[in-house]
Amino acid sequence: MVRAAPHPGLRPGVMSYRGFRTDAGRLHRSLEIPVGVVSLLLGLGKPFRVLGSSRDPRGACSSTALLCGLQDRSFVGERDGRSAGVEVVMTPWAAFTLFGVPMKELAGSVTPVEDLPDPEFGELNADLCAIRSTGG
């Protein structure tokens, strides 16, 4: 995992970037605990899966790009053993400014970006995946 500070013009709304790569060769599950931030997870390849939360076990989803709203309960995330991506950690007001979705609509949920009102976010992740596959 590599952590980086955002450009000064994006602070204080964007708090950090976290790049990661796992090469475990097996399925990886993690318990995601609630924190007071919104995260945009951009996968570079295989989709991430959310297995639901204790509040809504039916809330399972899968996507290469996920928006994690403010949480008040833990949930289980799952990814194949070989994965890579970037997480953008931001404040709730910055997420509202960027996505135009009231945070109360995202609270307690993990939403595939293709389900957001603005389709450009799904295209962004597809573009990132394309760059990675061409070695750019």
Side-chain angles (χ1 to χ4, degrees):
M1 180 176 286
V2 176
R3 186 173 282 183
H7 183 278
L10 297 175
R11 286 184 236 153
V14 176
M15 301 166 69
S16 69
Y17 301 117
R18 298 177 194 164
F20 61 90
R21 182 175 60 197
T22 60
D23 197 10
R26 60 182 167 74
L27 184 70
H28 176 77
R29 282 192 176 154
S30 59
L31 180 65
E32 304 296 332
I33 59 172
V35 292
V37 298
V38 176
S39 292
L40 174 63
L41 188 61
L42 300 168
L44 302 174
K46 297 178 182 177
F48 301 102
R49 291 174 295 283
V50 174
L51 304 179
S53 67
S54 56
R55 180 193 338 207
D56 183 7
R58 298 164 295 138
C61 66
S62 177
S63 180
T64 55
L66 298 169
L67 181 62
C68 302
L70 292 171
Q71 304 291 322
D72 63 357
R73 303 222 195 299
S74 299
F75 64 89
V76 176
E78 183 178 85
R79 61 182 181 252
D80 290 334
R82 305 184 91 192
S83 63
V86 175
E87 180 183 21
V88 181
V89 181
M90 63 191 90
T91 63
W93 65 264
F96 172 74
T97 302
L98 181 61
F99 298 106
V101 178
M103 290 298 99
K104 68 181 180 180
E105 292 181 21
L106 298 175
S109 71
V110 178
T111 306
V113 295
E114 57 269 18
D115 292 348
L116 294 172
D118 189 339
E120 289 184 13
F121 294 105
E123 294 170 14
L124 167 67
N125 200 60
D127 291 344
L128 288 172
C129 290
I131 289 170
R132 182 173 188 261
S133 67
T134 62

